């Protein structure tokens, strides 16, 4: 028999439920996509959204708020716009873009959002930092006074870079800008300086080649690669440098030293120009938006040498800028020149002459200067820039003059030619400060004036090996003290004299008759070497052209004997 529920029971149950009901109001702030195209979305609503805020679309893709208008906002899609349609909802996140940071990223290749691209699985880190933050103020900084060695003679001696400095590498395409940055990363000691390489707008094949170079020299484990290749959307190229900077800041604010390379900011500016024009912002000079200076200044100002109270960490920036036909007065180059603490200018003409790296010493400058050099390097390389400037003036004069130069000018040209030759260096072969000091002293004091120019680099290589094997205390003292004392100079002079004797001995006279003739020729030259000031008298009437003529005759005699 079924039990019937009466009206009174139903009324009692309903009253109980009503009395227990609690109204819960949930506010949901969302907008609606009204237009999508070219990776730009127009969203109606979200009137309280902030510029730079991260938005989330129904498809799971994120976007950045760029334009705030009266009834709509414009946002840039981070990734692909496939899946985003008109009428879809867009939600605020209340935060800006964050990327994973920490040592767990070392050895990994990630995109602009910190997502791995190397197929090694997810990045195992819980730390994240926003890509935009305020740069350290004046009180939070301290002067740049610790060197960051690139291992490149022409840079470490003439254009020194300090930890916390911003040194721009500028030049036309295919002049070796990336090569200098890669050499600087290869020269860093693991766990001493952590490196971040940001590739902006490069071909994927070029990025892959760079990664292989780091692997070959065992430096990938100390480097984070942030890759935004040429086939990525402009929005990913736009945020890539800021993501890399956030990763470098994690090391800096934890008392470590970081080196970050932006390769290159010209393509970064082009990507921002593309976004700005699609957002219908008014174009300015060269069609760039009016805030393109702020684009790079807020990025590069975040590199600093922090004060001891904040841990004393540093972030050194090497932004790369590409010029057109050597025009350093273009819009973006002049902007970055005014932001950075100096520039390394690579000249196309010098590059085609075979001088690598093709650094133009006259246009290159480091505004930190000798503060970022050890005293030994300052003492040895102090007059190199002046010697090179005088040599180039005399060389230019000789091109348009038939007059003979005096002995002092001839000696200056001899020395300038050999200094220029000594500053040449092969790629991926960085040198220690002690090795650089030794060869620069050798050439600056005129010890190589009597040798043919083409023999300078081979003599340098032989001398480095001799110095490391016979006089290891030289490098040890440079590393420990950083000073070039009188006793150390005497030791180096002794090493030079011993090397001359060894090089001129019969131990080298082996091999064919041609080789013997060449070495006996060099032996005669070495016997003429003496201290500075005696070169002009001993070489009177046997300047460089005569040396080549003598060598040519010797080789011709050797060939005829062999026949």
């Amino acid at each position: 028999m079924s039990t019937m529920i009466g009206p009174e029971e139903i009324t009692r149950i309903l009253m109980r439920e009503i009395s227990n009901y609690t109204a819960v109001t949930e506010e949901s702030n969302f907008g609606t996509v009204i237009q999508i195209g070219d990776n730009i979305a127009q969203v109606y609503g979200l009137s309280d959204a902030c510029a730079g805020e991260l938005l989330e679309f129904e498809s799971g893709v994120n976007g950045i708020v760029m334009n705030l208008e009266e009834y709509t906002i414009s946002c840039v899609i981070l990734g692909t716009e496939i899946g985003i349609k008109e009428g879809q909802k867009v939600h605020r996140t209340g935060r800006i873009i964050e990327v994973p940071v920490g040592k767990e990223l070392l050895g990994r290749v990630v995109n602009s959002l910190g997502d791995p691209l190397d197929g090694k699985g997810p990045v195992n880190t819980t730390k994240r930092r926003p890509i935009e933050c305020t740069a350290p103020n004046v009180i939070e900084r301290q002067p740049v006074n610790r060197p960051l060695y690139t291992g490149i003679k022409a840079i470490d001696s003439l254009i020194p870079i300090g930890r916390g400095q911003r040194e721009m590498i500028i030049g036309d395409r295919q002049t070796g800008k990336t090569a200098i940055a890669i050499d600087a990363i290869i020269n860093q000691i693991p766990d001493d300086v952590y490196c971040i390489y940001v590739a902006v707008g490069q071909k994927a094949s070029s990025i892959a080649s760079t990664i292989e170079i780091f692997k070959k020299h065992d430096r990938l484990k100390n480097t984070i690669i942030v890759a935004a290749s040429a086939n990525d959307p402009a929005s990913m190229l736009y945020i890539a440098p800021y993501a890399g900077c956030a990763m470098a800041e994690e090391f800096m604010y934890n008392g470590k030293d970081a080196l970050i390379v932006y390769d290159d900011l010209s393509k970064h500016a082009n990507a921002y120009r593309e976004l700005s024009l699609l957002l219908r912002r008014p174009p300015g000079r060269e069609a760039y938006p009016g805030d393109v200076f702020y684009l790079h200044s807020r990025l590069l100002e975040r590199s600093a040498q922090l004060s001891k109270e904040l841990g004393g960490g540093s972030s050194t920036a090497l932004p790369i800028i590409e010029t057109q036909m050597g025009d350093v007065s273009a819009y973006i180059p002049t902007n970055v020149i005014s932001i950075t603490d100096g520039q390394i200018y690579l000249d196309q003409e010098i590059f085609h002459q075979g001088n690598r790296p093709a650094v133009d010493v006259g246009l290159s400058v480091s505004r930190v200067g000798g503060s970022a050099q050890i005293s030994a390097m300052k003492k040895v390389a102090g007059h190199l820039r002046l010697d090179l400037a005088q040599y180039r003036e005399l060389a230019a004069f000789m091109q348009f003059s038939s007059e003979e130069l005096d002995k002092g000018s001839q000696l200056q040209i001899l020395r300038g030619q050999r200094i220029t030759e000594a500053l040449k260096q092969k790629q991926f072969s960085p040198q220690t400060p002690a090795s650089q000091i030794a060869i620069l002293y050798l050439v600056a004091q005129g010890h190589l004036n009597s040798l043919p120019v083409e023999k300078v680099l081979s003599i340098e290589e032989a001398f480095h090996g001799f110095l490391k094997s016979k006089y290891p205390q030289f490098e040890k003292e440079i590393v420990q003290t950083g000073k070039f004392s009188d006793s150390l100079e005497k030791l180096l002079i002794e090493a030079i004299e011993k090397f001359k004797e060894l090089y001129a001995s019969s131990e080298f006279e082996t091999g064919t008759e041609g080789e013997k003739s060449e070495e006996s020729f060099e032996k005669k030259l070495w016997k003429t070497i003496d201290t500075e000031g005696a070169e002009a008298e001993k070489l009177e009437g046997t300047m460089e052209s005569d040396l080549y003529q003598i060598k040519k005759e010797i080789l011709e005699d050797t060939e005829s004997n062999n026949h």
Side-chain angles (χ1 to χ4, degrees):
M1 182 178 175
S2 60
T3 304
M4 300 294 293
I5 300 177
E8 296 84 1
E9 184 69 19
I10 295 173
T11 301
R12 189 168 56 254
I13 292 172
L14 289 174
M15 292 298 292
R16 187 175 67 247
E17 292 296 327
I18 291 171
S19 63
N20 292 333
Y21 173 74
T22 302
V24 178
T25 303
E26 182 178 344
E27 182 179 352
S28 178
N29 192 354
F30 65 89
T32 305
V33 178
I34 60 175
Q35 185 181 3
I36 181 72
D38 296 321
N39 262 42
I40 305 292
Q42 293 286 335
V43 179
Y44 179 79
L46 295 180
S47 57
D48 52 352
C50 302
E53 184 178 351
L54 193 66
L55 302 181
E56 186 176 351
F57 292 82
E58 284 186 11
S59 63
V61 178
N62 292 327
I64 309 176
V65 178
M66 297 291 282
N67 281 2
L68 299 175
E69 298 166 13
E70 188 174 2
Y71 299 107
T72 63
I73 62 171
S74 299
C75 69
V76 174
I77 309 299
L78 296 175
T80 177
E81 64 184 39
I82 298 174
I84 300 176
K85 299 178 181 178
E86 295 179 6
Q88 288 185 348
K89 292 182 180 179
V90 185
H91 296 272
R92 290 184 60 194
T93 63
R95 56 188 175 85
I96 63 174
I97 304 176
E98 295 178 337
V99 292
V101 295
K103 288 186 177 181
E104 292 80 4
L105 273 83
L106 293 171
R108 302 300 302 269
V109 182
V110 298
N111 65 8
S112 304
L113 299 173
D115 300 326
L117 299 175
D118 51 11
K120 297 180 181 178
V123 178
N124 298 319
T125 179
T126 57
K127 295 181 180 179
R128 301 183 73 87
R129 291 185 71 93
I131 65 170
E132 298 269 13
C133 71
T134 305
N137 58 38
V138 177
I139 304 301
E140 296 172 336
R141 300 173 183 249
Q142 66 176 342
V144 176
N145 52 22
R146 294 183 298 148
L148 185 138
Y149 296 111
T150 64
I152 301 173
K153 291 175 287 187
I155 295 176
D156 292 341
S157 61
L158 300 174
I159 319 153
I161 299 173
R163 301 191 182 193
Q165 187 177 348
R166 301 154 299 173
E167 184 80 4
M168 178 176 63
I169 304 173
I170 183 171
D172 288 359
R173 65 185 304 271
Q174 299 296 322
T175 52
K177 302 184 297 297
T178 301
I180 286 179
I182 291 175
D183 276 356
I185 291 176
I186 290 175
N187 192 55
Q188 304 312 312
I189 302 173
D191 297 326
D192 178 40
V193 178
Y194 299 99
C195 304
I196 298 92
Y197 178 79
V198 183
V200 183
Q202 295 186 38
K203 295 182 294 184
S205 60
S206 300
I207 299 174
S209 299
T210 302
I211 295 171
E212 287 302 317
I213 291 171
F214 290 145
K215 287 181 179 178
K216 181 179 178 181
H217 293 86
D218 198 28
R219 285 297 179 268
L220 185 60
K221 64 183 181 182
N222 192 54
T223 307
I224 303 171
I225 310 290
V226 181
S229 61
N231 61 342
D232 286 335
S235 55
M236 300 294 277
L237 272 64
Y238 163 61
I239 67 171
Y242 300 101
C245 188
M247 297 172 188
E249 284 177 328
E250 174 67 17
F251 296 114
M252 178 178 71
Y253 283 108
N254 282 284
K256 308 294 184 181
D257 295 315
L259 169 65
I260 181 165
V261 175
Y262 302 107
D263 190 9
D264 64 71
L265 292 188
S266 297
K267 294 183 178 68
H268 182 232
N270 292 342
Y272 185 61
R273 174 172 60 182
E274 178 183 337
L275 292 177
S276 297
L277 293 175
L278 290 171
L279 290 165
R280 300 185 180 276
R281 292 181 176 179
R285 178 180 168 185
E286 298 181 23
Y288 289 105
D291 62 342
V292 71
F293 182 89
Y294 182 58
L295 172 78
H296 290 149
S297 65
R298 75 177 192 263
L299 170 69
L300 296 173
E301 279 296 319
R302 290 161 66 179
S303 294
Q305 168 66 63
L306 294 181
S307 63
K308 293 181 180 179
E309 290 74 16
L310 293 178
S314 71
S315 174
T316 307
L318 295 180
I320 295 176
I321 292 291
E322 183 179 303
T323 56
Q324 305 291 330
M325 299 297 291
D327 184 14
V328 295
S329 62
Y331 192 25
I332 300 303
T334 51
N335 278 356
V336 181
I337 285 173
S338 62
I339 297 167
T340 52
D341 306 311
Q343 66 273 350
I344 300 169
Y345 179 70
L346 303 180
D347 185 77
Q348 197 168 31
E349 185 177 346
I350 296 176
F351 183 85
H352 292 311
Q353 289 173 357
N355 295 330
R356 317 285 171 79
V359 177
D360 188 327
V361 179
L363 292 179
S364 301
V365 66
S366 173
R367 296 189 182 97
V368 172
S371 300
Q373 278 184 321
I374 57 176
S375 61
M377 183 67 79
K378 282 191 285 188
K379 184 175 181 179
V380 172
H383 299 288
L384 281 184
R385 186 182 288 269
L386 180 60
D387 289 342
L388 284 172
Q390 292 174 342
Y391 159 66
R392 284 171 182 160
E393 282 187 11
L394 288 171
F397 173 76
M398 285 182 63
Q399 289 180 339
F400 304 101
S401 175
S402 60
E403 298 180 8
E404 289 189 6
L405 298 175
D406 58 78
K407 293 179 183 178
S409 299
Q410 291 175 348
L411 183 60
Q412 189 69 48
I413 288 177
L414 274 176
R415 184 170 303 174
Q417 289 173 334
R418 281 140 189 85
I419 292 175
T420 303
E421 188 72 14
L423 291 178
K424 291 182 181 179
Q425 194 168 341
K426 294 180 181 179
Q427 195 177 356
F428 313 137
S429 58
Q431 293 185 5
T432 62
S435 297
Q436 296 180 27
I437 289 168
I439 187 60
L440 292 176
Y441 182 86
L442 192 66
V443 71
Q445 297 299 320
H447 290 289
L448 301 182
N449 283 5
S450 61
L451 283 179
V453 175
E454 68 270 15
K455 289 292 181 181
V456 170
L457 293 180
S458 61
I459 290 294
E460 174 189 354
E461 187 175 353
F463 183 64
H464 284 330
F466 173 80
L467 194 64
K468 287 181 180 179
S469 62
K470 302 296 183 182
Y471 293 87
Q473 64 270 36
F474 176 79
E475 183 167 1
K476 184 178 180 181
E477 186 169 343
I478 290 290
V479 172
Q480 290 178 346
T481 66
K483 297 179 180 179
F484 192 63
S485 60
D486 293 340
S487 60
L488 194 62
E489 185 175 6
K490 289 178 181 178
L491 180 68
L492 183 57
I493 292 173
E494 179 187 334
I496 292 171
E497 295 301 328
K498 292 287 186 182
F499 178 69
K500 292 177 189 177
E501 294 174 7
L502 180 65
Y503 195 82
S505 70
S506 59
E507 295 177 18
F508 291 85
E509 295 190 17
T510 57
T512 64
E513 291 298 321
E515 291 173 348
K516 290 180 181 178
S517 299
E518 281 193 77
E519 282 158 9
S520 61
F521 168 73
E522 291 173 4
K523 185 170 67 174
K524 293 175 184 177
L525 293 176
W526 274 109
K527 288 179 179 178
T528 64
I529 298 175
D530 203 344
T531 56
E532 184 179 10
E535 294 90 343
E537 295 178 5
K538 293 187 177 182
L539 294 174
E540 184 175 0
T542 58
M543 301 308 292
E544 189 178 9
S545 59
D546 299 323
L547 296 175
Y548 287 122
Q549 185 63 32
I550 294 170
K551 186 172 183 180
K552 182 179 178 182
E553 292 172 0
I554 292 174
L555 293 176
E556 287 175 353
D557 292 342
T558 303
E559 289 178 2
S560 62
N561 291 334
N562 290 338
H563 285 306

